Amino acid sequence: MGRLDEFTAMLERVRPFLEGQPFFDMVEANLKSALGDHAGALPFAEAAYADAPTNQFAVGALGRALFFLNEFEPMLSLRWTFPGFKVRALHYLGRVEEASMLARQYFEATRVPDPVLLLMANAGQYEELMQFVEERWSSIEEFNKGQTITFGFGNPNLLHIAKACLETGRHLQYELAMKLTRAEHDKQRTQGADWAVFYVMEAFYWTLANDQDKAIDFLQQAVEHGWVATPRMSRMWPLLKPLEGDPRYEEIQSRALQNLNRERVEAGLEPL
């Protein structure tokens, strides 16, 4: 919800009682990541993970810090329950077959489609994505009703489906996916979603809606909230490719890379 000042004050109240415990280190790491201080998050995440290497909250804290520092190889060694970050990193590193196997194994075990849809959309496998959905759900509405949507993260699955519909000429399904996505984003915004990741999801939506100005406005908000990215944002987030070449977008991309390299240097890493 972006209420980071309140979050910070709460941590300070309980610090005398909990400081040094793995759970507290994990929470402190997550706060620093939310503030865009990924270099500052790293030592707390490493401490939490060292004390509790099988705890998925500790794994997640360290994985996020490494991911946003663009340290993809080290994060792949972590044993994540949810493989979304791993799938994204493997695809970025060109290891698409590994990413696909991991995503499909997770779907077979859990019936959660998120990593599969993420990979297919990022790999440009749009017809395969639509076949995957159409073979398992009778409609986009049915798919959407069965989702577990996390507050503050938008509706990424429907964004991937909307992109696939657009690229494969399924125009009515595209319009429906966009309508349902808009409703979910508006709902989350009304509930108080206010942080970088939500603004990136909004940028994806408005890129798909062919409103580049709005998309770039939301990307600017994301960067102002401390968002970092890969050296070329669209390599990790292909939904943003239509924005490339726009001077405002290129300026935001440059600022995001400056954020990333500042964090990498503070963490003792080489800039990219």
Side-chain angles (χ1 to χ4, degrees):
M1 297 178 72
R3 295 163 60 182
L4 300 180
D5 289 342
E6 293 177 61
F7 190 1
T8 301
M10 182 66 72
L11 281 192
E12 292 309 313
R13 286 180 60 191
V14 300
R15 183 181 300 279
F17 312 102
L18 299 177
E19 190 169 26
Q21 296 185 26
F23 179 79
F24 189 84
D25 286 337
M26 178 273 295
V27 173
E28 186 134 36
N30 286 343
L31 170 60
K32 289 185 180 296
S33 287
L35 289 165
D37 182 9
H38 305 292
L42 187 59
F44 289 101
E46 289 174 332
Y49 181 74
D51 288 335
T54 61
N55 183 295
Q56 282 301 301
F57 293 107
V59 171
L62 180 55
R64 278 190 294 275
L66 292 170
F67 182 85
F68 286 113
L69 288 168
N70 280 216
E71 287 295 287
F72 300 124
E73 290 288 354
M75 63 156 284
L76 291 177
S77 66
L78 302 177
R79 293 187 177 181
W80 300 69
T81 298
F82 178 72
F85 277 103
K86 272 192 174 181
V87 168
R88 196 184 289 275
L90 284 167
H91 177 255
Y92 184 85
L93 295 170
R95 295 157 62 176
V96 179
E97 187 173 339
E98 288 179 69
S100 179
M101 184 179 301
L102 180 62
R104 289 186 177 276
Q105 286 174 346
Y106 184 74
F107 177 74
E108 292 302 323
T110 66
R111 312 311 291 177
V112 175
D114 304 40
V116 173
L117 299 180
L118 166 69
L119 176 64
M120 287 182 175
N122 282 359
Q125 298 170 352
Y126 301 120
E127 185 60 42
E128 294 92 331
L129 189 157
M130 292 310 302
Q131 290 177 10
F132 177 85
V133 173
E134 291 167 353
E135 289 171 2
R136 293 165 176 83
W137 292 273
S138 62
S139 65
I140 290 175
E141 292 102 325
E142 184 199 1
F143 173 87
N144 194 51
K145 288 177 183 177
Q147 286 197 89
T148 300
I149 298 176
T150 304
F151 168 75
F153 288 82
N155 197 345
N157 283 343
L158 276 194
L159 287 169
H160 298 320
I161 290 173
K163 175 65 172 176
C165 289
L166 186 64
E167 295 293 336
T168 59
R170 292 169 167 85
H171 299 297
L172 291 178
Q173 293 96 320
Y174 159 78
E175 291 176 3
L176 176 58
M178 291 291 282
K179 178 182 177 181
L180 293 171
T181 301
R182 184 70 261 148
E184 179 60 35
H185 283 206
D186 288 345
K187 174 184 173 183
Q188 292 185 26
R189 183 60 172 157
T190 299
Q191 292 172 335
D194 181 23
W195 72 311
V197 173
F198 180 75
Y199 294 131
V200 173
M201 292 298 115
E202 283 283 65
F204 292 165
Y205 173 87
W206 289 109
T207 301
L208 283 171
N210 199 31
D211 191 331
Q212 292 196 3
D213 285 339
K214 277 191 177 180
I216 292 170
D217 287 344
F218 278 109
L219 276 183
Q220 183 171 338
Q221 289 190 62
V223 171
E224 289 172 353
H225 280 70
W227 191 56
V228 299
T230 49
R232 292 300 298 181
M233 291 192 292
S234 64
R235 180 177 168 188
M236 179 67 77
W237 294 278
L239 278 171
L240 297 176
K241 279 185 178 179
L243 304 181
E244 290 196 341
D246 186 294
R248 289 180 63 212
Y249 173 81
E250 297 299 336
E251 180 184 355
I252 289 169
Q253 182 164 250
S254 177
R255 287 177 58 194
L257 181 56
Q258 290 172 12
N259 286 350
L260 169 62
N261 282 332
R262 181 192 66 240
E263 294 300 317
R264 285 182 61 86
V265 169
E266 289 181 9
L269 303 166
E270 292 292 324
L272 299 175

